[in-house]
Amino acid sequence: MTSLDHVDLELVAALSADPRATVVALAEKLRLSRNTVQARMSRLEKAGVFQSAERSISPAALGFPLQAFISIGVTQSALQAITDELSRVPEIVQVHGVSGQIDMVALVACRDARHLFDVDARILAIAGVSRTETQLVMSEAIPYRVSGLMELARREPTR
């Protein structure tokens, strides 16, 4: 991962505030040339600064109002094969490898409790998965955000 300078941080902040901003609009806002903005965006993309450009869409709007976190215990030697299998389950929105008593946490979106039960059963059926535990999402208290981190990065030099 590359370290971001002041101009990079301003560019990322502008994109965060307006993800649909054009290169021309960003250049005007930041008082940079269009070529500079384009070159920096290209460099940042290659460095892995930008995550998925997939539009954030509500699972509920697609007919999947029930969300849950499924904690997954796995056989470590089968981790890659398990990850490959999990990626084939369309109800899985996101998976993180974690430390502690469990090995992975999956965020799933389902139509109802029966659907959630079936998704959990499909996860348990994957070779190398030893156990699951499900927690229903009751509300999203704080949505995904990085604006606070960007502000810290602007104020505090990289350590």
Side-chain angles (χ1 to χ4, degrees):
M1 184 69 66
T2 187
S3 65
L4 305 179
D5 66 17
H6 177 72
V7 175
D8 291 334
L9 289 169
E10 292 300 320
L11 176 57
V12 171
L15 278 170
S16 180
D18 185 4
R20 292 193 210 180
T22 64
V23 171
V24 172
L26 291 167
E28 287 175 10
K29 179 177 177 117
L30 301 174
R31 299 179 186 176
L32 298 169
S33 75
R34 183 187 60 76
N35 287 342
T36 298
V37 170
Q38 187 65 54
R40 282 183 176 262
M41 286 181 61
S42 179
R43 182 179 53 80
L44 293 170
E45 182 146 10
K46 287 178 185 158
V49 172
F50 300 127
Q51 293 186 343
S52 172
E54 182 177 310
R55 200 116 158 93
S56 183
I57 298 169
S58 166
L62 299 174
F64 303 91
L66 181 64
Q67 290 190 350
F69 288 100
I70 300 180
S71 302
I72 307 168
V74 305
T75 303
Q76 290 297 311
S77 61
L79 190 58
Q80 188 57 57
I82 293 166
T83 301
D84 292 344
E85 287 300 314
L86 290 172
S87 72
R88 292 183 185 89
V89 178
E91 295 89 348
I92 293 178
V93 177
Q94 190 174 36
V95 177
H96 291 274
V98 296
S99 63
Q101 299 277 334
I102 58 165
D103 303 299
M104 304 175 97
V105 176
L107 175 61
V108 301
C110 298
R111 296 190 189 284
D112 53 33
R114 180 77 215 165
H115 187 190
L116 175 59
F117 182 80
D118 293 342
V119 169
D120 185 62
R122 288 195 330 247
I123 292 171
L124 273 169
I126 295 171
V129 171
S130 57
R131 68 191 179 287
T132 63
E133 183 178 324
T134 302
Q135 299 87 29
L136 294 178
V137 172
M138 304 305 283
S139 69
E140 182 179 65
I142 299 173
Y144 179 82
R145 63 194 180 139
V146 294
S147 57
L149 295 175
M150 285 190 292
E151 189 56 38
L152 282 176
R154 284 191 201 149
R155 285 192 316 231
E156 299 174 6
T158 305
R159 295 175 185 176

